[in-house]
Amino acid sequence: MSRTAAPASPRDASSTGVTPDTAPGSAGDDGLPGNAGQQIEARVYLAISQALLSGKLRPGMPLRERNLAQAFGCTRGAVRKVLARLGFEGKLVLEPNRGAFVPQPSLDDIRQTYRARRVLETGVIASICGQLSASQLAVLDEHVATEARSHAEGTHERSIRLAGEFHLKLIGMADSAELDAFARQLVAKTELYKALYDPAEFIHCAPTEHAQLVSQLRDGKTQAAIALAAAHLDELEARVLTRAAAAETPDFRAIFAEAFAGAAS
């Protein structure tokens, strides 16, 4: 059975034992003043997020409050709030009375998520192509330059994050809060799928493709921009699906090699 990440409602977070964030300056459930507690939670949040995007946490892995609290030297209450936030963002699966888990999506989950991204992004491109201001194009150009530097430095998790941020910036230029919220969920999922299943050597040429897309948006080449964006997502999906399918299918020959050898002798 697959575990797929879906945004948790406040009711869902409550059912897992998570309490709402405390007001600034007040004492949290970890007993620390608000600012100190928030700093600890920020550190835990960043560490878990980086571990997810670097592929260090594997699909289906449980994240136990007790173990994390010991590892970070903080209270379980602080960890609980971070896990609730990651669950709300779609980066973890929260199961009532069981805890938090790294998502373990099915192949169909992955296909549906990438399909939704294609529909959303190609629609946005069609609506903004040739309509962006010089300042908007400059924002995209600057972001692509940052991506290129990160790619050259080989920082895997940062490259994944920056690639996702490019698409969010692009969608944000359609000036729709509803689209922004939906896009954040989709991009968070596909970033995670890539980190879980796409090997580090395939950081791919996103900066080059993104630069080409910006050029087409600048020149008003709508059909070319749509085709490039769709092909870009198709390629990412294909690589993730290939790795995910391999992870789902055990190598029985390797597992039972000794038994096969005994039968043959």
Side-chain angles (χ1 to χ4, degrees):
M1 187 174 77
S2 69
R3 284 195 175 97
T4 56
S9 68
R11 182 179 299 274
D12 295 331
S14 175
S15 69
T16 60
V18 178
T19 55
D21 289 339
T22 54
S26 63
D29 60 2
D30 51 15
L32 293 172
N35 289 340
Q38 290 166 11
Q39 289 175 4
I40 291 172
E41 290 163 23
R43 177 169 59 86
V44 174
Y45 174 84
L46 180 61
I48 296 176
S49 296
Q50 288 179 338
L52 284 166
L53 290 182
S54 66
K56 294 177 181 177
L57 302 178
R58 306 311 304 152
M61 179 183 292
L63 300 181
R64 305 300 185 198
E65 287 180 11
R66 182 190 301 276
N67 295 342
L68 291 172
Q70 291 174 345
F72 290 114
C74 66
T75 67
R76 291 179 65 175
V79 169
R80 191 176 303 125
K81 287 199 283 187
V82 171
L83 296 180
R85 177 181 172 186
L86 290 166
F88 180 78
E89 294 174 352
K91 296 175 183 175
L92 292 178
V93 175
L94 303 181
E95 295 187 3
N97 303 317
R98 297 200 64 226
F101 296 83
V102 177
Q104 191 171 22
S106 68
L107 299 182
D108 189 57
D109 294 330
I110 294 171
R111 291 189 187 98
Q112 291 295 329
T113 301
Y114 275 101
R115 181 177 183 275
R117 272 197 66 176
R118 272 192 296 274
V119 171
L120 174 61
E121 294 191 32
T122 56
V124 167
I125 287 170
S127 69
I128 67 173
C129 190
Q131 306 298 317
L132 297 179
S133 66
S135 61
Q136 288 176 312
L137 290 166
V139 167
L140 295 177
D141 286 334
E142 182 179 355
H143 188 87
V144 170
T146 302
E147 282 190 82
R149 288 193 297 271
S150 179
H151 178 73
E153 293 165 359
T155 52
H156 184 50
E157 64 271 18
R158 185 164 184 260
S159 293
I160 294 175
R161 178 175 56 78
L162 287 170
E165 287 177 1
F166 172 85
H167 293 270
L168 292 177
K169 285 180 184 293
L170 186 64
I171 293 167
M173 290 175 183
D175 197 23
S176 168
E178 289 79 7
L179 287 180
D180 286 350
F182 187 39
R184 288 186 183 281
Q185 294 177 19
L186 293 176
V187 170
K189 285 185 177 183
T190 53
E191 280 182 348
L192 188 57
Y193 295 165
K194 179 168 173 38
L196 292 174
Y197 297 115
D198 201 17
E201 60 267 30
F202 285 130
I203 293 176
H204 66 81
C205 55
T208 302
E209 293 171 351
H210 289 170
Q212 186 179 354
L213 179 57
V214 174
S215 176
Q216 292 167 344
L217 291 171
R218 178 180 283 111
D219 295 339
K221 298 179 178 179
T222 303
Q223 292 306 314
I226 288 174
L228 177 63
H232 175 61
L233 289 171
D234 286 347
E235 181 189 0
L236 292 177
E237 178 186 8
R239 287 209 305 262
V240 169
L241 283 172
T242 298
R243 299 285 294 186
E248 280 192 352
T249 307
D251 185 348
F252 288 117
R253 183 172 295 277
I255 293 171
F256 300 114
E258 185 175 346
F260 289 150
S265 60

